[in-house]
Amino acid sequence: MWNRSEQTWWMVYTNRRATARGPKFAWVHGTDLGVASSADGGQSWTYRGTLTGLEHEWGHNTFWAPEIFWHEGTYHMYVSYIQGVPHDWAGHDRHILHYTSTDLLSWTFHGKLELSSDRVIDACIYPLPNERFRMWYKDEAHSSHTYAADSTDLYNWEVLGPVITGRAHEGPNVFRFRDSYWMIVDEWRGQTVYKSDDLSIGNGIV
């Protein structure tokens, strides 16, 4: 996203503790959000560190898959969150948390989103033509399918239900290109691409 204070591009991303010792998948958890910036339009990037001030409860916790959306003077971040540093995939709640900032450095915590289950990650936000906003996300409790929720204010969300079903997948990313809307998801065997004319539920085609 464009950092309006620095006048540089910022990339905020899922970090990994690749050299951390511990059983099984502990290295995937306990992660902060990494930051890199570019002053030349993305041709080169400088690592800047990790975002701070996101902790809302005690302990060493897990942050994944940040989605940052700029609207009317405020950055809204929706980030996947797991309490603690689990060493396995199963048995741990996953939630999407909402934060806001005016400078990408100081963040205000607004709470956990109430979505379709307690196993949700990978938020993606895009504005709808009717002045509403849509969030797509992965619901692991429902076959790891993409679900959607709508909002009028970016704070309160109404779950619509499944959008992309079939084979399990994650990481929905929605954008507009050449008069169509596109969604890319990760099926762990390559990327799958969907296309829509109007972002309506059930109107995606491979």
Side-chain angles (χ1 to χ4, degrees), residues 85-195:
V85 188
H87 68 267
D88 215 338
W89 297 116
H92 305 281
D93 289 357
R94 293 140 162 71
H95 296 287
I96 294 173
L97 307 185
H98 181 205
Y99 296 82
T100 57
S101 175
T102 58
D103 60 5
L104 292 175
L105 290 176
S106 299
W107 292 94
T108 299
F109 175 61
H110 294 283
K112 175 184 69 177
L113 302 189
E114 297 297 331
L115 297 171
S116 49
S117 81
D118 59 3
R119 297 288 193 279
V120 294
I121 63 172
D122 296 350
C124 172
I125 311 292
Y126 198 88
L128 299 177
N130 60 6
E131 298 186 356
R132 294 169 65 89
F133 305 93
R134 180 157 297 164
M135 174 187 296
W136 294 266
Y137 60 92
K138 174 189 178 183
D139 189 333
E140 294 183 358
H142 292 94
S143 303
S144 291
H145 291 160
T146 293
Y147 272 57
D150 278 7
S151 176
T152 58
D153 60 7
L154 293 169
Y155 292 87
N156 302 288
W157 294 87
E158 177 186 359
V159 175
L160 303 178
V163 178
I164 304 296
T165 57
R167 185 181 178 91
H169 57 273
E170 64 184 3
N173 190 32
V174 174
F175 57 94
R176 186 164 177 81
F177 177 67
R178 292 187 177 177
D179 298 324
S180 294
Y181 298 98
W182 303 83
M183 178 192 291
I184 298 176
V185 301
D186 181 7
E187 290 190 353
W188 314 299
R189 58 173 185 173
Q191 307 291 301
T192 301
V193 181
Y194 295 86
K195 178 182 177 184

Side-chain angles (χ1 to χ4, degrees), residues 40-59:
D40 57 10
Q43 295 183 70
S44 61
W45 292 87
T46 300
Y47 175 67
R48 301 289 297 276
T50 58
L51 289 186
T52 59
L54 301 183
E55 294 293 356
H56 65 284
E57 62 178 348
W58 177 86

Side-chain angles (χ1 to χ4, degrees), residues 16-18 20-31 62 64 82 84-90 92 94:
R16 282 288 185 262
R17 301 186 307 123
R21 296 185 178 185
K24 298 181 73 173
F25 305 113
W27 66 275
V28 177
H29 299 95
T31 49
T62 301
W64 287 346
I82 300 172
V85 188
H87 68 267
D88 215 338
W89 297 116
H92 305 281
R94 293 140 162 71

Side-chain angles (χ1 to χ4, degrees), residues 70-90:
W70 168 264
H71 180 66
E72 295 184 349
T74 300
Y75 296 99
H76 294 259
M77 178 164 65
Y78 304 89
V79 60
S80 307
Y81 177 79
I82 300 172
Q83 186 182 68
V85 188
H87 68 267
D88 215 338
W89 297 116

